[in-house]
Amino acid sequence: MTALAVVAQLPVLLVVGVIVALASACGACAAILDLDLHRLRPSRERRISVLEREKDIAAGLGWPWQRWVILRLAFVGLGLVVAWITGVTLMWVIGPIAGAVGFRFALAGRAANRRLRMERSFLGQLRNLRDRMAVSNQSLDTALQELGRNPGPDLGYVLAPLARGGSTIANVVEMGIRARSPIVEQVAAVLIWARSRSSDFLIQTIDTVVIPVGEAQLAIQEEGMVTLAQQRAVTFAMSSLLVVMLAIALGVETLRSYYQSFAGQVVLIVVAVLFAGLVVFLGFIVRPQSWTRWNLRRLAEEQERLGG
């Protein structure tokens, strides 16, 4: 029985060995880079709620919030189905968590790439707005409506409010809320603030401030995406190795019986904790740049209160 237990642990022990080696390498990198983990903790003022981050990913994918929630719940249910098939008690906990977190992690990179494309297209439309005002001598309200009617690629959902009638400020606020992008929110804030000022002043602000800052933000995000893509590739590789090893082990009746025992459950807990800790630590080493987010509704209310 002891020999069987040792054989049963071999696949998982291999994964544990790989994870420990990678964790040691990450620790060495942290020491070389002199990372301060306390400094990496987000402050309460800058911390974005979990719900807001989920909405950012859904918006980055171009999905309605309801679709994102339904798919997350579906993958949680899939994790429960896997737990029922394997018959391992601990999988009733690990399965739903892996389904929810894994689905989010798998699509987070795609959402970030799509948001970059949208922001790049948005800066192109901002130049179009500037030309309409400077060359065609259109008013800001008219130029915004024209952009809403001809949004261009990747911007149909974001710029749709501009094509509506009614309050221009309310439409600009709705545009920023739909985009959930720091660059779009920054431009929306400038448009709200500059609407009560001259067109020449707005054109100058777009040329000298908004577009250069937006392009700099895009460049920084693109550089960060390269590193994040490498981080995700490592995480995907470790996840695939772990899933394959576990599937092979649970496919053998004797090994499945062992993992249904108390000793096997302890081994699975150790593997899950080590894997989760390594993924979290990788996230500490490479973190995406955070940008200022604007409360556009409050800004619009203040502008209207001041008579803008």
Side-chain angles (χ1 to χ4, degrees):
M1 189 65 180
T2 304
L4 177 61
V6 172
V7 173
Q9 294 184 54
L10 285 178
V12 178
L13 287 177
L14 175 60
V15 179
V16 172
V18 173
I19 293 176
V20 170
L22 291 174
S24 300
C26 291
C29 292
I32 294 173
L33 298 174
D34 194 22
L35 292 178
D36 184 2
L37 295 182
H38 295 285
R39 181 179 58 84
L40 292 175
R41 294 176 182 174
S43 62
R44 291 183 179 180
E45 293 79 7
R46 296 183 179 179
R47 187 175 300 155
I48 303 176
S49 67
V50 174
L51 181 61
E52 292 301 313
R53 289 197 297 267
E54 296 295 316
K55 289 182 177 180
D56 287 344
I57 295 178
L61 292 169
W63 290 357
W65 169 240
Q66 292 80 0
R67 182 192 301 178
W68 175 254
V69 173
I70 291 173
L71 288 176
R72 291 292 297 274
L73 293 177
F75 273 82
V76 170
L78 181 61
L80 293 174
V81 172
V82 172
W84 177 71
I85 293 175
T86 59
V88 178
T89 304
L90 189 62
M91 290 299 294
W92 288 97
V93 178
I94 297 178
I97 294 176
V101 176
F103 175 72
R104 180 188 187 279
F105 184 83
L107 292 180
R110 179 184 175 186
N113 287 327
R114 189 179 182 280
R115 178 177 290 110
L116 279 178
R117 293 198 307 269
M118 182 272 292
E119 291 172 338
R120 193 176 296 109
S121 298
F122 182 80
L123 287 182
Q125 290 294 71
L126 183 61
R127 294 186 181 92
N128 189 8
L129 174 69
R130 184 261 181 208
D131 292 339
R132 287 178 179 274
M133 297 175 61
V135 179
S136 302
N137 200 27
Q138 292 182 346
S139 65
L140 175 60
D141 294 0
T142 302
L144 288 175
Q145 287 183 353
E146 290 296 327
L147 289 185
R149 297 189 184 100
N150 302 282
D154 302 319
L155 291 172
Y157 176 73
V158 173
L159 298 185
L162 300 181
R164 300 191 305 232
S167 172
T168 300
I169 290 182
N171 294 338
V172 170
V173 170
E174 179 64 22
M175 176 193 70
I177 293 174
R178 287 191 178 196
R180 301 193 68 85
S181 160
I183 292 178
V184 178
E185 289 178 357
Q186 176 178 273
V187 173
V190 171
L191 293 176
I192 294 172
W193 168 74
R195 188 170 180 271
S196 60
R197 291 159 177 82
S198 66
S199 298
D200 292 338
F201 182 78
L202 176 57
I203 293 170
Q204 182 182 5
T205 302
I206 292 175
D207 288 338
T208 60
V209 178
V210 179
I211 290 180
V213 170
E215 289 177 341
Q217 287 180 338
L218 273 181
I220 293 174
Q221 291 183 58
E222 288 172 349
E223 291 178 0
M225 284 298 299
V226 175
T227 306
L228 287 175
Q230 296 173 351
Q231 172 188 326
R232 291 191 180 97
V234 172
T235 304
F236 278 128
M238 293 189 302
S239 302
S240 301
L241 177 63
L242 187 61
V243 169
V244 170
M245 292 293 186
L246 187 60
I248 293 174
L250 296 180
V252 181
E253 185 62 32
T254 55
L255 299 182
R256 181 187 298 182
S257 299
Y258 170 73
Y259 286 115
Q260 290 174 342
S261 66
F262 176 77
Q265 304 276 333
V266 172
V267 172
L268 289 177
I269 291 175
V270 171
V271 172
V273 170
L274 286 175
F275 176 77
L278 179 58
V279 172
V280 171
F281 189 77
L282 284 174
F284 277 138
I285 293 179
V286 181
R287 297 178 64 87
Q289 179 69 41
S290 59
W291 304 98
T292 301
R293 304 298 295 269
W294 292 82
N295 188 335
L296 297 176
R297 285 196 176 97
R298 184 173 180 180
L299 179 62
E301 291 173 357
E302 290 292 327
Q303 190 69 13
E304 290 180 354
R305 183 177 63 84
L306 294 175

